[in-house]
Amino acid sequence: MAHDHHHAHGDHSTSKIRIAFFINLGFSVIELIGGLYTSSVAILSDALHDLGDSMSLGVSWYFQKVARKGRDKEFSYGYRRFSVLGAVINSLVLVVGSILILTEAIPRLFDPTTPDAQGMIYLAIGGILANGLAAYKLHGGHSLNERAVYLHLLEDVLGWVATLIAALIMLYQDWPIVDSLLAIFISLFILFNVYKNLKKALKIILQGTPEEINPKRIDELLRAIPKVISTHDCHIWSMDGQYHILSIHLVVEKYNELQELSEIKQKAKDLLKKEHIDHATIEFETEDEKCDPC
């Protein structure tokens, strides 16, 4: 029954991300056409942002399904790491697009082009509704993936609110520079978030220790188990930022029965689960045993 519940929840999560993907992608196309029609670089920069979000949603949707395949002979750890590859690809697309927008927006600061403020208002209202609906579909999601996408879409809604305010200002004031300033702000905001995402993705690819895990605390917890003398050769890494893996050597007292070692291993794994370690490989050694650490 537990497996059926997990499978049903996985289907529900996939369905919600799929709906959000089509909403976001459909409006991104409308927004791109609208940005060209209104000559607004702010709209075009947000169209790029939404297109990047659509790609992220598409990748999330695809890998939400792929992850259920589990491990096989080609990928013994499963397919989780592919989502990190997707994040890197999405980030690079956003970097290139943001630089292109900046090369268009910065010169307009000195030679501003008056955009169609009324058209921008219509698109901004549409953006608030479309992104708001997509965010609503993912509100209350249980997985970290759903929550991350929800927060991203919520940021989009706030960006559209800013675009609406800028369009209203230009409707009543001849300040076309506002459009270029907003485009630059949105592009820099995207690049800042892309930097953070790339930093996390590259740390995962390079098998860095997850930020939320403290190796010193793990050492202390494991050494507190009866008959465990010390620990060493500890390696901690993450598959996708959510599923964490550990391998470690435990030095134990001599002449332990197999049953005792089994009990120590189970206690260790129970403690590690509470520290967000999803998969642990534990090797036992005695004090005088020679170890060749990796």
Side-chain angles (χ1 to χ4, degrees), residues 20-170:
F21 165 72
F22 282 116
I23 291 171
N24 222 59
L25 180 63
F27 188 74
S28 295
V29 174
I30 295 170
E31 188 180 2
L32 188 61
I33 295 168
L36 292 170
Y37 177 75
T38 58
S39 298
S40 169
V41 283
I43 296 289
L44 287 173
S45 64
D46 219 281
L48 170 74
H49 191 185
D50 277 356
L51 197 60
D53 288 348
S54 297
M55 289 179 64
S56 298
L57 283 165
V59 168
S60 297
W61 172 28
Y62 173 72
F63 286 112
Q64 192 92 3
K65 294 191 294 182
V66 170
R68 285 152 56 191
K69 287 171 61 177
R71 63 188 70 182
D72 57 25
K73 63 181 181 180
E74 279 197 78
F75 298 99
S76 61
Y77 275 114
Y79 289 78
R80 292 174 179 270
R81 185 61 63 87
F82 280 82
S83 63
V84 182
L85 177 62
V88 171
I89 293 169
N90 288 339
S91 296
L92 293 176
V93 169
L94 285 172
V95 167
V96 172
S98 295
I99 291 172
L100 288 174
I101 291 294
L102 287 172
T103 58
E104 178 69 23
I106 292 173
R108 287 199 187 190
L109 290 174
F110 309 100
D111 185 21
T113 301
T114 304
D116 181 351
Q118 193 165 20
M120 286 179 66
I121 290 171
Y122 294 142
L123 284 168
I125 292 171
I128 292 168
L129 292 174
N131 284 280
L133 179 60
Y136 173 75
K137 286 291 181 183
L138 288 167
H139 178 65
H142 296 285
S143 72
L144 290 174
N145 190 25
E146 287 174 280
R147 289 200 291 271
V149 175
Y150 165 72
L151 290 173
H152 206 156
L153 290 168
L154 198 59
E155 287 177 354
D156 290 345
V157 174
L158 296 175
W160 276 114
V161 170
T163 301
L164 179 61
I165 293 170
L168 287 170
I169 290 171
M170 286 186 288

Side-chain angles (χ1 to χ4, degrees), residues 251-268:
V251 179
V252 296
E253 295 176 5
K254 284 185 178 181
Y255 310 118
N256 291 98
E257 297 291 335
L258 188 60
Q259 180 61 35
E260 283 184 306
L261 292 177
S262 178
E263 289 172 3
I264 291 171
K265 183 181 286 188
Q266 191 56 54
K267 285 179 183 177

Side-chain angles (χ1 to χ4, degrees), residues 222 225 263-275 277 279-282:
L222 295 179
I225 297 174
E263 289 172 3
I264 291 171
K265 183 181 286 188
Q266 191 56 54
K267 285 179 183 177
K269 288 192 173 186
D270 289 343
L271 288 170
L272 291 169
K273 280 285 183 186
K274 294 177 183 177
E275 297 300 308
I277 299 295
H279 181 87
T281 300
I282 298 170

